[in-house]
Amino acid sequence: MTLFEALSTVYARDADIGAHTCGPEAEHERAGLFRAEALRNAAATFGRWLATIREGQRRRAATRALLRLDDRLLADIGVSRSEIPYLVVHGLDARPVNENRLPALAGCG
């Protein structure tokens, strides 16, 4: 939801709430409620935006760290270099099963 959509929703709800009251006090109260709700929505939108930025930074850092490992170490943990971007986003357990991959041999290496 964009900030404009959030503000529009709040305005529509505020108009419904204030429909039953009249006078300058009611108008002032409705304006205050509208501003408070708009600020809460703006803060929530900013928080989600900031969380998205932080998640992207975390993923880039994890990708860089894994790409710095040599192929032998990646093979030891069961990851190929081409899988790194997918694994950083989805995790090791979400990896699709590759039927053509040879099973790891115990004690080999």
Side-chain angles (χ1 to χ4, degrees):
M1 177 182 289
T2 66
L3 182 59
F4 178 75
E5 291 168 339
L7 291 175
S8 298
T9 303
V10 171
Y11 182 73
R13 268 189 283 150
D14 193 38
D16 290 341
I17 291 171
H20 303 291
T21 59
C22 60
E25 296 86 15
E27 184 63 35
H28 181 69
E29 184 178 336
R30 282 192 302 274
L33 289 173
F34 174 73
R35 280 192 299 274
E37 184 96 14
L39 285 174
R40 279 194 296 275
N41 286 335
T45 300
F46 180 73
R48 286 189 301 273
W49 176 76
L50 192 58
T52 301
I53 298 249
R54 286 183 178 154
E55 179 65 18
Q57 290 172 337
R58 185 196 65 79
R59 287 179 181 175
R60 283 189 296 280
T63 301
R64 278 192 308 271
L66 286 170
L67 287 173
R68 278 187 290 234
L69 299 176
D70 64 350
D71 290 334
R72 185 176 178 95
L73 188 54
L74 287 172
D76 285 347
I77 60 175
V79 174
S80 69
R81 194 164 293 280
S82 64
E83 293 177 311
I84 290 174
Y86 180 85
L87 294 176
V88 167
V89 173
H90 302 287
L92 194 58
D93 295 334
R95 182 168 40 180
V97 177
N98 183 355
E99 300 295 333
N100 297 323
R101 185 179 227 176
L102 295 174
L105 300 175
C108 252

